[in-house]
Amino acid sequence: MSDTDFTPNEMMTIAASRALKNTDVCFVGIGAPSAACNIARLTHAPDVTLFRYWLQGGRVTVGFLGAAQIDRFGNINTTVIGDYDEPKTRLPGGGGAPEIASSSGEIFITLKQSRRAMVDKIDFYTSFGHGDGGDHRERLGITTKGPTLMVTDLAVWKPDPVTREFTVVSLHPGVTREMVQAECGWTVRFAEAVEETPAPTEIELKTLRDLNARTKAAHAGGKSGEAA
């Protein structure tokens, strides 16, 4: 793969990393959110603070979450697929995600689009987003902003300021509206002016690929008994 080519996953990770600022205090776990935050730290936001294992009440500006299932209002399920008592699949659970979703200043979400992941109604509320939409969070006494950004492998989404329904504001290079709709379980709303996500720069791609290579090497070393 050349420096000018990039995968949908690389586009997603880099687009998500751009949302972080130098002044952010970010709660981040493993996986795609961790990669996005580290890319930000290694490129445009070297002073970003990353908390990996605990949530410092009132001081974390951004919580970065993934999702097994998500609905149009940013409510997340990472608990079960199907009925809770007799699930088709039991997922890892919430961990600290429910607290992150309610206590962080705002929430960024990353996930690969599919109709199985982006559903009209999630099977279980693990992490509360915007509930039924509108001012649902405020009515429950939750004072933080909730989900303000979702970056998938196809597009960048932001909640409508009134309804809080996630709306596509930017399509990644080569992606069409039809492609986004085909991998979403609800009728997608698009902003009046949909932009094209800027392609990854050479330095962003190199940073991400170097990070992935170091991570792969560390894991390989650990499995073989060598020092990582």
Side-chain angles (χ1 to χ4, degrees):
M1 182 180 295
S2 73
D3 288 341
T4 57
D5 295 328
F6 52 89
T7 67
N9 187 66
E10 287 176 331
M11 181 73 261
M12 174 180 69
T13 304
I14 289 169
S17 76
R18 293 168 177 164
L20 288 171
K21 305 183 298 296
N22 233 2
T23 54
D24 279 326
V25 178
C26 183
F27 189 105
V28 56
I30 61 174
S34 178
C37 291
N38 277 291
I39 295 307
R41 182 176 58 83
L42 293 168
T43 55
H44 68 276
D47 294 329
V48 67
T49 301
L50 306 184
F51 285 127
R52 287 181 172 81
Y53 305 116
W54 54 279
L55 184 64
Q56 188 174 7
R59 296 183 62 186
V60 173
T61 62
V62 176
F64 230 123
L65 298 177
Q69 276 189 337
I70 192 168
D71 66 16
R72 71 188 69 205
F73 297 116
N75 301 300
I76 291 175
N77 171 24
T78 54
T79 303
V80 295
I81 302 297
D83 181 74
Y84 182 81
D85 294 321
E86 297 182 8
K88 297 177 183 177
T89 303
R90 191 166 293 280
L91 301 169
E99 290 78 15
I100 295 169
S102 60
S103 298
S104 297
E106 58 187 315
I107 299 298
F108 297 165
I109 301 165
T110 59
L111 79 159
K112 178 179 174 60
Q113 279 199 221
S114 72
R115 286 183 171 271
R116 294 178 61 184
M118 302 178 74
V119 297
D120 190 56
K121 183 176 177 59
I122 58 176
D123 293 331
F124 188 90
Y125 280 74
T126 306
S127 303
F128 192 79
H130 294 290
D132 296 329
D135 64 348
H136 198 170
R137 286 179 71 89
E138 289 83 354
R139 286 188 281 114
L140 292 178
I142 305 174
T143 59
T144 52
K145 294 179 181 178
T148 59
L149 178 74
M150 178 167 65
V151 182
T152 72
D153 55 334
L154 299 178
V156 176
W157 309 59
K158 292 185 178 181
D160 180 90
V162 176
T163 68
R164 302 300 181 190
E165 178 179 344
F166 267 113
T167 303
V168 173
V169 298
S170 177
L171 295 171
H172 298 337
V175 174
T176 65
R177 295 185 181 213
E178 291 75 20
M179 292 167 65
V180 173
Q181 183 61 77
E183 297 298 337
C184 186
W186 65 79
T187 300
V188 177
R189 290 188 58 191
F190 294 88
E192 290 186 9
V194 176
E195 300 179 353
E196 181 177 284
T197 311
T201 64
E202 184 176 343
I203 187 64
E204 286 173 329
L205 279 174
K206 184 179 187 305
T207 303
L208 175 57
R209 290 171 183 173
D210 287 350
L211 176 64
N212 287 339
R214 291 197 302 272
T215 301
K216 183 178 181 180
H219 289 171
K223 289 179 181 178
S224 63
E226 301 173 359

